[in-house]
Amino acid sequence: MDTPDVLAWRDGHIEALDQTALPHQVRVLRISTVEALVAAITRLAVRGAPVLGAAGALGVALAVRQARREGWDGPRLDAEIQRIADARPTAVNLRREVAVVAARVPEGEAAVEAAALAVMSFTTTASYEISRRGAAYLRDACGPGPLRVHTHCNTGSLACLGWGTALGVIRALHEAGGLSRVIVDETRPLLQGARLTCWELDQLDIEHRLVCDGAGPFLISQGLADAVVVGADRVAANGDVANKVGTYGLALAAHWAGIPFLVAVPESTIDEATPDGAAIPIELRADEEVTVPAAPVGTKALNYAFDITPADLVSAVVTEKRLIQNGQWLTRQAR
Ligand code: MRU
């Protein structure tokens, strides 16, 4: 069976692959209201920074249609668009692309839809360029391989459209015969690595091994990876990186092991307005995601969904336009 599109605009509705159902069920959501879109984003049916940006862009088009259908006034439309932007706080792509498309609202529905579709299109195109450039960086840094690459969370087409970011880099290495295998963190508590990355790697026929998050840094210390490559939800102006919780430990381990730690992102994930990692809002999610089913009833959790990796631990950030290596962040402070 052909896999449906990760995200699409069809007849004035959003269609999205429900990422909470994968890998066991392939289910498509048809989203017609702002409320349904916000719910899909908050429960992570639609997720991953670049896809959040694209979904936010389509969400503005959805809101404009709903405003016409339901007779909303201007302030109500603005408030509904803001709800989309605020659905998740850490990935800057969401609020950035919502703002880009919302700026076109005075030009009317057709202009808004065209702007939203343009976001979809450049998000897809950027992923191929990021993949190609990231693979070239790893070949330069590590030699021709075949390389063993460690990754975290899910950064493939499910999260980014196209080939993805970090997983796109891995795919580009594979296509060029430069990949030995991928080590995939399971990515507690919602298991994006186990459920989604392993599913994507299976479909691509790419050799991989799934490991517990806690094992990752140790496996790197034992020489089981030649490089670590991850995506990001936001890169601050000084180069600090917010990504799925567990990333920081991999960066520390890569630093100690002397292997490259590459962050692959579209330009839209770099947030010049956020000076450093301390200013990035970290999403705190429900306790139950961590406590159920294993902990005693009533156990409280600290469910930080993301962590911050200081710029000093990042070997390079690759985007569709540039390769930013340590020391090239204009605003970078001496630590
Ligand atoms: O909570 P999620 O699943 O949306 O988190 C996703 C990640 O942390 C990804 O690594 C990040 O968005 C980069 S996707 C290219």
Side-chain angles (χ1 to χ4, degrees), residues 121-142:
S121 157
F122 75 66
T123 302
T124 307
T125 314
S127 83
Y128 301 124
E129 196 55 29
I130 295 164
S131 306
R132 196 184 62 73
R133 285 169 174 267
Y137 168 81
L138 287 184
R139 278 193 295 269
D140 280 354
C142 307

Side-chain angles (χ1 to χ4, degrees), residues 183-271:
I183 297 183
V184 182
D185 283 347
E186 59 179 351
T187 317
R188 285 270 306 152
L190 298 179
L191 303 174
Q192 290 92 331
R195 294 188 302 105
L196 307 177
T197 299
C198 289
W199 183 72
E200 290 198 63
L201 289 171
D202 265 344
Q203 293 202 323
L204 295 167
D205 212 10
I206 295 179
E207 178 78 13
H208 57 283
R209 295 286 184 278
L210 179 64
V211 302
C212 299
D213 293 344
F218 173 67
L219 298 181
I220 290 168
S221 81
Q222 298 301 294
L224 266 67
D226 301 302
V228 177
V229 55
V230 296
D233 287 78
R234 193 182 300 220
V235 179
N238 74 336
D240 290 349
V241 169
N243 191 46
K244 180 56 59 190
V245 69
T247 301
Y248 177 44
L250 296 180
L252 286 167
H255 183 73
W256 274 91
I259 62 170
F261 181 86
L262 175 66
V263 177
V265 293
E267 287 284 330
S268 54
T269 300
I270 299 178
D271 183 15

Side-chain angles (χ1 to χ4, degrees), residues 44 47-50 88 153-155 159-160 165 192 231-233 243-244 306:
L44 269 56
R47 53 151 296 280
R88 292 192 74 195
C153 199
N154 172 261
T155 58
C160 312
T165 53
Q192 290 92 331
D233 287 78
N243 191 46
K244 180 56 59 190
F306 299 95

Side-chain angles (χ1 to χ4, degrees), residues 11-13 31-34 61-72 109:
D11 312 321
H13 305 267
I31 298 171
S32 311
T33 63
V34 169
L62 200 67
V64 167
R65 283 192 171 231
Q66 195 175 354
R68 173 167 52 72
R69 274 198 323 268
E70 298 185 11
W72 295 347
E109 212 165 291

Side-chain angles (χ1 to χ4, degrees), residues 301-316:
L302 278 176
N303 189 8
Y304 284 75
F306 299 95
D307 62 23
I308 305 289
T309 297
D312 293 358
L313 295 177
V314 176
S315 311

Side-chain angles (χ1 to χ4, degrees), residues 188-190 285-303:
R188 285 270 306 152
L190 298 179
R285 293 183 60 87
D287 288 14
E288 293 69 30
E289 288 181 353
V290 179
T291 58
V292 174
V297 174
T299 300
K300 295 199 185 328
L302 278 176
N303 189 8

